[in-house]
Amino acid sequence: MDHPETAERAAALHRQAVAAQREGRVREAVALFQQALALRKDVDIYLDFGGLLAGLSQWGPAGAVYAAALKLAPDSPDAHYGVALSHHAQGRPAEAEPHYRAVLAGCPGLGAVWNNLGVALQEQGRPAEAETAYREALRHQPEDAGTWKNLAVALDSLCRTDEAEAAYRAALSRNPEHAVSLNNLGGLVLAAGRPDEAWRIGCRMVALNPADRNGWMLLGNAAHAAGRRGEAVRASAVAVRLAPDDPAPRHNLANALAAAGRRDEAVAEYRAVLGLQPDSPAAVDLAMELLGQHDMAGALALLRGALARHPDHVLAWRILGQTLAGALRPDAALDALRRAVALDPGDPAGWEDLAAAATLADRVAPSIEALRRVRRLSPAYNPALAQLVQQQRHACDWRDLPALEGDLIGRMRAGALGVPPFGLLAVHTTPADQRAAAERWARQKARGVPAVARPAVAGDGRLRIGYLSADFHEHATAYLMAELLERHDRMRFAVTAYSTGIDDGSPMRRRLTAAVERFVDLRDRSDRDAAQAIAADGIDILVDLKGYTAFARTAILAARPAPVQVNWLGYPGTMGADFIDVILADAATIPPGEESFYSEAVVRLPHCYQPNDRHRAIAERTPSRADCGLPEDGFVFCCFNSPYKLTPALFDVWARLLRAVPGSVLWLYAGNPLVAGNLRREAVARGVAPERLVFAPPRPLAEHLARHRRADLFLDTLPYNAHTTASDALWTGLPVVTCRGATFAGRVAASLLETVGLPELVTDSPAAYEVLALGLARDPARLAGLKARLVAARTASPLFDGDRFARDLEDAYRAIWQRFAPAGDPR
């Protein structure tokens, strides 16, 4: 038992400590509390001392004092509450929770304690229990704005956003100036796609406190979401001035600058963010901006650094994969994208990227599987369906292809967006279908692309022609174009090649570079920069050789760098674009009367629209039949078209031809092993032994041309004909049987055959095609006569007359310029 004098002395010191605390003499109060406790261990002294320390935010000592009080009075609500507050303030909500509950067990009507319990539960990741606690708190203190705000946070984390919004509004009805509720409500409505409402909330925040960075950040984010680029930059810049050392406002400003096209300033801000916060996700955004500046090495370094710190960063893996694919490193891209989809298998965009990389790597099977995953995750996503159709065609996987194609065509005719026009060329569609799809695609590609300024450039009287392509290397388009470029009249035409593709260091690349007056490599330039470079050169007629095929840079054309822009050779169909003025064709590919199916003005060349190179070398040595995998005897039907051009209906015809010509074989091109397996299965289903299909692997062009000598008859495809492959066959003396199709892509072989002087090899129905092919296989003398005519045509036909083609094309350019030239141009 305490001595009465000691107890009295302790009580006196206690009273003095409380008085000193009230008068602000904190240090003296601490000493007095300690002296009192040295004399007597009293619960009230501990509680008051704990309150003093808590008021000073000395939570560690405060906790120890409250814990001492709790030992003396285990049922004391005040002691439990002090311990709870101490644990909670030190970031230990799980330890605080039982003490809050102990308080509430004895005093269940304390709304503030229920609120604190809710916060502790929320911080432990238990929002449903936190909601219960907040609602109990509000039962006792319904006018407390802070508790309404906390309830809203819990509801939002439970994905009950409508209820969360209502709770924030309840908080603001109690306190219209509750800044946190305003800010959180603004973020909620912005995420719900209501940027104008978020803007109004941000304006309220700024009016209440112009020095609050959060209000300006909300304004910047709302303007950014609404596409008001200038306002987004201005508001975000104010937030940065208010908090220059906070990486969050700087990150927002960088995003706003990037969206406004102010790329250099955006890069500087992203770098500033990383200076403040090295592990910030801004590293990924900066990498994307560097990619826009074609700084691939810098982007790769940033991405790899970000992944070293955050190996589970899905977006970084995705962008790394996209970057590696853009650098034509598809195997490395596949590895990165497989990491991305493993981390987030429910994101269809990751699977779509994986499919694209697999396609680039010529890995058809994983591409098909990835596209099927996209379809399961996002059934209404049109690009995935279109790509799946195309990839299954590349693999000759026809098992469910008719249904997929029917679905694709139905969506396209219903006005679907995101259907790449190129994929429709090999499907049975009409010219009207192809124009409608191309027009939708062109609008998507041109959206947000401003026209570049075309400065006045002094000329020398020659017409300046620019050829834009990604295929100025070993490629089918280059094989066709090389001699034409060499034979342009330099006195009348200034010719520039604009390359957006790889430099493969090949002899063809060197030949093309030497063939033109200027060869400009734009591969590492942005679309905008590339367009400005073309405009600065004063090009009169820009000829696009890509259309909507792989690696096209349509945005360059959408920026209108030349006054006249032409679609030719690379894309056998309309581009449906108001930034393309002319399509070059001939009377076979676009017959008179079909102009309405083309958005461009149709200009026809007098012979075939397709150039040819009569200098294409054919290897002197002809491989033996055994070298080619062919039997020693028997008729050889062949088709070296890309496998995606083959169709089940066409294969039915070929199977009947094989059955009708004993000992015959069908020689096909197949760079992908899936093709051989699938086609052999299809052959067996049609009563043809699988060994009667022979597959030709890729070979250098001269060797590939030489092996044509071992074939007897080339069978064309429909609805997409042989184009360069038909020219190859005719150049080697191999007759081609074709069926005239309903669209440009299905009429090219007819144009080639009519120009080379063999119109009798053009049929107008699949039945006639089959009859003609069978008749030729059974009539060696007639076939020999056709081959002899082809030998003569190598020197006599307009198809292989490079000088004549160059003059015809130049006459067309002159006529186009006279029709479309800007007013007042004297040329």
Side-chain angles (χ1 to χ4, degrees), residues 163-186:
E163 294 176 72
E165 181 177 334
Y168 282 128
R169 295 191 187 282
L172 291 167
S173 72
R174 272 77 179 175
N175 180 1
E177 299 182 5
H178 197 261
V180 176
S181 292
L182 278 170
N183 189 51
N184 289 3
L185 177 61

Side-chain angles (χ1 to χ4, degrees), residues 456-479:
V457 179
D460 55 10
R462 296 182 297 168
L463 201 59
R464 291 169 293 215
I465 308 297
Y467 290 103
L468 177 66
S469 179
D471 300 330
F472 291 130
H473 50 84
E474 289 289 340
H475 188 276
T477 300
Y479 301 151

Side-chain angles (χ1 to χ4, degrees), residues 539-778:
I539 293 298
D540 298 315
I541 299 176
L542 181 62
V543 183
D544 177 41
L545 301 175
K546 288 299 294 177
Y548 295 134
T549 57
F551 306 111
R553 299 274 295 272
T554 309
I556 296 175
L557 295 152
R560 267 290 183 181
V564 182
Q565 301 191 156
V566 175
N567 168 20
W568 178 50
L569 191 60
Y571 186 72
T574 183
M575 288 184 68
D578 59 8
F579 49 83
I580 302 293
D581 305 293
V582 172
I583 181 170
L584 287 174
D586 55 49
T589 50
I590 304 180
E594 292 196 359
E595 291 81 1
S596 63
F597 298 124
Y598 298 83
S599 63
E600 308 93 336
V602 177
V603 173
R604 297 179 179 87
L605 298 179
H607 303 292
C608 182
Y609 84 105
Q610 185 191 92
N612 273 280
D613 177 11
R614 60 184 162 189
H615 299 297
R616 273 178 294 177
I618 305 175
E620 291 185 9
R621 177 183 176 274
T622 300
S624 68
R625 280 197 168 217
D627 290 337
C628 298
L630 297 168
E632 285 303 316
D633 299 304
F635 193 88
V636 178
F637 296 104
C638 95
C639 179
F640 291 144
N641 281 0
S642 179
Y644 78 86
K645 295 184 180 182
L646 277 59
T647 68
L650 180 71
F651 205 69
D652 289 341
V653 174
W654 291 354
R656 288 196 294 270
L657 289 172
L658 289 172
R659 294 199 303 268
V661 181
S664 62
V665 295
L666 178 60
W667 195 13
L668 301 168
Y669 175 79
N672 187 295
L674 288 178
V675 171
N678 286 332
L679 288 180
R680 285 188 170 123
R681 184 188 67 246
E682 295 290 341
V684 170
R686 290 164 173 80
V688 174
E691 60 269 18
R692 295 182 69 184
L693 270 58
V694 180
F695 293 94
R699 286 285 183 270
L701 180 61
E703 295 178 26
H704 171 62
L705 293 176
R707 66 184 170 186
H708 282 69
R709 298 175 182 139
R710 290 302 178 195
D712 296 304
L713 184 64
F714 189 106
L715 299 175
D716 196 15
T717 51
L718 197 73
Y720 200 134
N721 284 173
H723 293 188
T724 306
T725 45
S727 289
D728 288 346
L730 297 174
W731 178 243
T732 63
L734 178 63
V736 176
V737 172
T738 191
C739 180
R740 194 188 312 270
T743 65
F744 192 129
R747 295 168 175 165
V748 172
S751 173
L752 293 166
L753 286 164
E754 289 168 359
T755 304
V756 84
L758 295 176
E760 65 266 41
L761 295 183
V762 180
T763 65
D764 290 306
S765 71
Y769 166 97
E770 184 175 349
V771 168
L772 177 58
L774 182 59
L776 290 172
R778 290 173 171 173

Side-chain angles (χ1 to χ4, degrees), residues 310-520:
H310 304 287
D312 293 340
H313 196 309
V314 177
L315 182 59
W317 282 114
R318 276 193 59 204
I319 296 172
L320 177 62
Q322 293 168 355
T323 305
L324 292 167
L328 300 182
R329 296 170 57 189
D331 291 329
L334 277 173
D335 290 340
L337 291 165
R338 286 190 176 110
R339 291 288 298 271
V341 298
L343 289 166
D344 189 3
D347 180 13
W351 289 104
E352 185 179 21
D353 287 342
L354 178 60
T359 299
L360 187 63
D362 200 23
R363 305 275 292 278
V364 179
S367 177
I368 290 173
E369 173 55 29
L371 289 166
R372 290 189 181 277
R373 293 290 288 267
V374 178
R375 287 263 292 158
R376 288 196 291 273
L377 292 166
S378 187
Y381 186 59
N382 299 313
L385 173 59
Q387 289 302 315
L388 179 59
V389 167
Q390 189 73 350
Q391 287 304 102
Q392 288 198 207
R393 293 183 68 89
H394 275 292
C396 293
D397 182 355
W398 301 334
R399 284 169 289 191
D400 60 348
L401 190 61
L404 291 172
E405 289 182 349
D407 187 8
L408 179 65
I409 293 170
R411 294 187 190 194
M412 181 272 299
R413 288 176 178 166
L417 298 176
V419 178
F422 178 72
L424 296 174
L425 301 184
V427 179
H428 284 285
T429 50
T430 67
D433 290 334
Q434 293 178 10
R435 175 168 182 172
E439 286 176 341
R440 288 194 286 270
W441 191 257
R443 286 193 293 271
Q444 287 179 256
K445 292 293 181 181
R447 187 173 295 123
V449 178
V452 295
R454 294 198 297 262
V457 179
D460 55 10
R462 296 182 297 168
L463 201 59
R464 291 169 293 215
I465 308 297
Y467 290 103
L468 177 66
S469 179
D471 300 330
F472 291 130
H473 50 84
E474 289 289 340
H475 188 276
T477 300
Y479 301 151
L480 298 176
M481 286 287 296
E483 185 178 2
L484 164 68
L485 294 176
E486 292 166 340
R487 292 187 177 277
H488 264 309
D489 183 349
R490 300 289 183 86
M491 300 298 292
R492 299 168 62 219
F493 296 88
V495 179
T496 302
Y498 293 102
S499 174
T500 59
I502 62 169
D503 178 356
D504 60 355
S506 64
M508 176 58 77
R509 176 75 168 201
R510 294 194 294 272
R511 181 183 174 189
L512 294 169
T513 303
V516 294
E517 197 163 319
R518 296 176 64 244
F519 190 98
V520 181

Side-chain angles (χ1 to χ4, degrees), residues 10 13-14 17 26-41 45-46 49 52-53 61 65:
L13 289 169
H14 183 191
V26 175
R27 184 174 298 178
E28 183 180 345
V30 169
L32 290 167
F33 275 124
Q34 290 173 335
Q35 293 172 36
L37 288 170
L39 293 171
R40 184 172 185 235
K41 303 296 187 271
I45 300 174
Y46 276 119
F49 188 21
L52 169 63
L53 295 171
V65 169

